[in-house]
Amino acid sequence: MEIPAESWYKAISLRHSQRKYSGEIPDESVTSSIENVCAEFTPFPSVRSVVVREPANDVFKGAVGQYFFKVTKAPYYIAFIGDMTETNVQACAGYTGEGVILEATALGLNTCWVGGFYKREAVLKQIDLKDDEKLIAITPFGYSEEEKDRVGKSAKPYRRKSLDKLISRGKIGDIKWVKSAVEAAKIAPSAANRQPWRFEINDDSITVSANSKRKGIGVSRGLDCGIAMLHLELGALVNGVNGDWKFLDYPEVARYKIN
Ligand SMILES: Cc1cc2nc3c(=O)[nH]c(=O)nc-3n(C[C@H](O)[C@H](O)[C@H](O)COP(=O)(O)O)c2cc1C
């Protein structure tokens, strides 16, 4: 499937993690659109996304971890599954899952990446995994109770690091696609909002690396970096700049080289 750059790019700044849902079941046409994007947005053969048309109550029961709010009343959820024998599977899952999440956002749904604090056993009762597959993350989807309270209010700001902390080498200068790409990547979601991505800017490429100074929290930094990769690419695409990703050795994750 070709990336719908304009609509996903627009969705980037509408997406915020939502944990309190209204319980309202999305229309059949909306849920089928999500199922379609799960089936069609498969840029890497090692990752698949599956819609689970079951309330995620048991999946989130008591599972909060370091998060203050647990997910409640989500009518449905999506499971992101990876073949663990493949390399770069975490980054591939982040990239793929974020595409599905941005499509959901564009359709007016709310979501929340959940990487660690949910009950895997409860999900595994509702989906089947093949031999080498593992559940990498899930997201509830539905309509947020919190968002309803915000109707008519100004856009919610993102708590994020400044670009000078994220750019490890090189400068944005006055290159429009680079500015748009790193700004879109900057507001990507990450586990515990740790924003592990760092960007090295060269004339015809941007390299994404993972900063690993902070203690691990049981969720791969590669997963976060994969999410930022999609945002970065969308920022380039809306400026008419196409490129290709090449995966690299950790702590570098991947390089986007323009065509
Ligand atoms: C890979 C990943 C795992 C996450 N895991 C959880 C989680 O277990 N529980 C939770 O409530 N939020 C989780 N989040 C949501 C983050 O806390 C959230 O994205 C971050 O604080 C930034 O806020 P925003 O998404 O509203 O921009 C996760 C996000 C990502 C990307």
Side-chain angles (χ1 to χ4, degrees):
M1 155 184 172
E2 203 176 312
I3 291 179
E6 294 290 337
S7 100
W8 286 7
Y9 178 77
K10 213 170 134 207
I12 285 178
S13 41
L14 299 172
R15 188 215 54 82
H16 291 275
S17 293
Q18 300 291 343
R19 299 173 179 87
K20 238 170 91 186
Y21 291 82
S22 66
E24 181 188 339
I25 295 186
D27 280 352
E28 180 52 38
S29 62
V30 172
T31 307
S32 329
S33 300
I34 299 294
E35 281 170 341
N36 284 346
V37 77
C38 287
E40 283 166 25
F41 186 58
T42 52
F44 308 103
S46 56
V47 174
R48 62 190 179 102
S49 315
V50 175
V51 171
V52 183
R53 290 183 182 232
E54 302 273 358
N57 298 345
D58 289 348
V59 172
F60 293 112
K61 209 179 266 168
V64 186
Q66 66 195 292
Y67 286 93
F68 192 66
F69 297 108
K70 87 171 179 197
V71 175
T72 53
K73 289 169 81 178
Y76 296 150
Y77 66 99
I78 303 165
F80 302 119
I81 297 162
D83 176 343
M84 304 315 283
T85 61
E86 297 288 330
T87 47
N88 312 304
V89 64
Q90 296 281 350
C92 295
Y95 184 99
T96 306
E98 187 66 359
V100 172
I101 280 182
L102 292 176
E103 179 66 21
T105 308
L107 288 166
L109 293 163
N110 299 111
T111 58
C112 181
W113 273 98
V114 180
F117 302 107
Y118 64 96
K119 297 209 168 129
R120 266 160 216 276
E121 324 82 79
V123 177
L124 295 177
K125 284 190 186 141
Q126 296 175 329
I127 58 166
D128 291 320
L129 295 187
K130 296 181 201 131
D131 278 352
D132 293 321
E133 284 183 337
K134 196 183 136 195
L135 193 54
I136 293 192
I138 61 175
T139 177
F141 73 95
Y143 299 101
S144 157
E145 198 62 46
E146 293 158 358
E147 201 78 326
K148 262 199 328 214
D149 303 339
R150 291 194 54 83
V151 172
K153 296 196 180 148
S154 60
K156 216 157 113 185
Y158 292 96
R159 285 184 302 113
R160 295 294 191 270
K161 295 186 166 103
S162 60
L163 278 181
D164 54 312
K165 294 212 170 74
L166 300 179
I167 296 174
S168 55
R169 198 179 294 173
K171 282 205 167 58
I172 296 179
D174 52 8
I175 312 168
K176 222 173 133 207
W177 77 267
V178 172
K179 187 169 192 294
S180 162
V182 291
E183 278 178 349
K186 171 185 138 160
I187 58 171
S190 57
N193 202 22
R194 60 189 165 177
Q195 306 158 66
W197 39 72
R198 297 294 177 269
F199 308 112
E200 181 183 323
I201 299 170
N202 285 300
D203 286 349
D204 61 352
S205 71
I206 302 178
T207 303
V208 179
S209 304
N211 168 303
S212 54
K213 279 198 187 123
R214 276 176 63 182
K215 223 172 96 213
I217 50 167
V219 179
S220 161
R221 289 181 173 84
L223 182 58
D224 294 330
C225 287
I227 297 172
M229 283 165 61
L230 181 67
H231 282 217
L232 190 154
E233 183 172 351
L234 290 168
L237 288 175
V238 293
N239 280 282
V241 172
N242 289 279
D244 292 304
W245 286 105
K246 182 176 185 290
F247 285 106
L248 304 166
D249 291 332
Y250 205 78
E252 287 186 323
V253 177
R255 177 171 303 129
Y256 188 69
K257 190 165 182 304
I258 66 173
N259 298 325

